[in-house]
């Protein structure tokens, strides 16, 4: 992953676990290439997934992204975790799955200028039989109907953190810390463990170690330590 128009020197702020990464592109839309974001690189994910991060929002920007992994202007299997519209909802969208375009919004989720731990999960129980969940500060916040679909497994060409793949959406204005993506559905106890243990050490039974780490010294970064057992990717970690 690669920082775009920001650095750990100039954009480091106090976080929940040491330093966090501050994103501040003012009022720029994602069409403006001078905004601050992270290029997640090229790697595949499919089936189940989880995203876990500490986030501190400065403002409710129009459709600001936590992640948008997919293709510019859509047209493919985009994975979107965002603040829909200009409100305080948490939105989880998956495009072009075997079941079509799917999403769930979790209302009254965010508040401004406060650190909130966010986890979203998607299991892989079959076409139009899977479930999206959101956790807030380590506790289950909401669950969709069991009518979603696991991700299409492929390399997405534009995997962005803090920037939309649609030109008219705003950049993220806020801070991220201990940012992780897994290719499994984290359990409630695993989410709670990540939230409650400041160093982020957990013992899950999925996958095979960390990958795609953002950090100047990743093995001293929050959440990027090697995990034994089967944990696939405590990856894309933003923060120190």
């Amino acid at each position: 992953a690669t920082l775009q128009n920001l650095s750990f020197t100039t954009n480091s702020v106090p976080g929940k676990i040491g330093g966090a990464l501050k994103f501040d592109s003012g009022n720029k839309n994602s069409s403006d290439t001078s905004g601050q974001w992270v290029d997640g690189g090229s790697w595949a994910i499919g089936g189940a997934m989880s995203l876990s991060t500490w986030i501190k929002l400065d403002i409710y920007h129009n459709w600001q992204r936590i992640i948008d992994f997919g293709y510019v202007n859509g047209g493919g299997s985009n994975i979107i975790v965002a603040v829909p519209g200009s409100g305080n909802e948490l939105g989880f969208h998956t495009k072009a799955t075997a079941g079509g375009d799917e999403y769930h919004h979790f209302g009254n989720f965010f508040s401004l200028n406060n650190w909130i731990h966010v986890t979203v999960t998607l299991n892989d129980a079959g076409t139009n039989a899977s479930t999206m969940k959101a956790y807030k500060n380590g506790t289950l916040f909401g669950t969709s109907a069991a009518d979603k679909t696991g991700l299409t497994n492929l390399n997405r060409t534009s995997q962005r953190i803090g920037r939309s793949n649609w030109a008219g959406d705003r950049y993220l204005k806020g801070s991220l810390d201990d940012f992780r993506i897994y290719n499994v559905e984290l359990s409630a106890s695993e989410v709670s463990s990540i939230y409650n243990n400041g160093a982020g050490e957990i013992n899950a039974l999925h996958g095979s170690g960390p990958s795609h780490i953002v950090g100047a010294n990743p093995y001293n970064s929050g959440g990027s330590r090697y995990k034994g057992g089967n944990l696939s990717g405590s990856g894309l970690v933003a923060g120190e």
Side-chain angles (χ1 to χ4, degrees):
T2 307
L3 305 185
Q4 302 290 335
N5 305 313
L6 75 171
S7 73
F8 286 108
T9 301
T10 59
N11 294 83
S12 180
V13 296
K16 292 297 292 187
I17 307 171
L21 193 61
K22 172 80 169 180
F23 296 74
D24 189 354
S25 302
N27 292 319
K28 293 176 181 176
N29 286 336
S30 292
S31 57
D32 187 332
T33 59
S34 68
Q36 297 180 346
W37 59 291
V38 177
D39 183 343
S42 178
W43 43 275
I45 189 170
M49 74 159 286
S50 300
L51 176 148
S52 169
T53 189
W54 285 96
I55 184 169
K56 186 178 184 180
L57 288 177
D58 296 340
I59 193 171
Y60 294 130
H61 260 338
N62 181 51
W63 278 98
Q64 62 185 322
R65 298 296 203 267
I66 300 175
I67 65 166
D68 190 337
F69 288 179
Y71 303 88
V72 176
N73 295 320
S77 300
N78 289 58
I79 308 164
I80 298 167
V81 181
V83 184
S86 298
N88 65 354
E89 292 183 327
L90 171 65
F92 189 9
H93 290 235
T94 53
K95 302 285 189 180
T97 73
D101 291 352
E102 300 175 341
Y103 72 94
H104 193 79
H105 289 180
F106 303 90
N108 297 315
F109 188 92
F110 289 108
S111 59
L112 296 180
N113 302 309
N114 294 307
W115 281 109
I116 296 172
H117 191 260
V118 178
T119 304
V120 293
T121 69
L122 171 67
N123 66 359
D124 189 15
T127 303
N128 300 133
S130 302
T131 304
M132 294 176 173
K133 296 179 181 178
Y135 296 80
K136 181 177 180 179
N137 294 333
T139 300
L140 182 64
F141 183 85
T143 305
S144 75
D147 59 358
K148 311 306 180 192
T149 306
L151 303 174
T152 303
N153 190 5
L154 46 76
N155 277 341
R156 292 160 176 84
T157 61
S158 182
Q159 302 196 126
R160 298 175 172 182
I161 303 169
R163 182 185 181 189
S164 173
N165 276 303
W166 278 260
D169 299 332
R170 295 286 176 88
Y171 280 90
L172 175 66
K173 187 171 172 58
S175 303
L176 298 177
D177 198 1
D178 194 29
F179 182 100
R180 308 157 176 241
I181 288 177
Y182 299 95
N183 64 356
V184 296
E185 179 194 15
L186 293 175
S187 69
S189 63
E190 289 168 345
V191 173
S192 178
S193 182
I194 295 171
Y195 168 72
N196 283 299
N197 187 336
E201 294 296 345
I202 63 174
N203 293 311
L205 298 177
H206 324 288
S208 58
S211 59
H212 313 303
I213 295 168
V214 176
N217 189 6
Y219 282 91
N220 288 322
S221 298
S224 65
R225 297 169 183 79
Y226 184 80
K227 308 297 189 298
N230 283 319
L231 208 125
S232 171
S234 58
L236 291 167
V237 174
E240 297 178 327

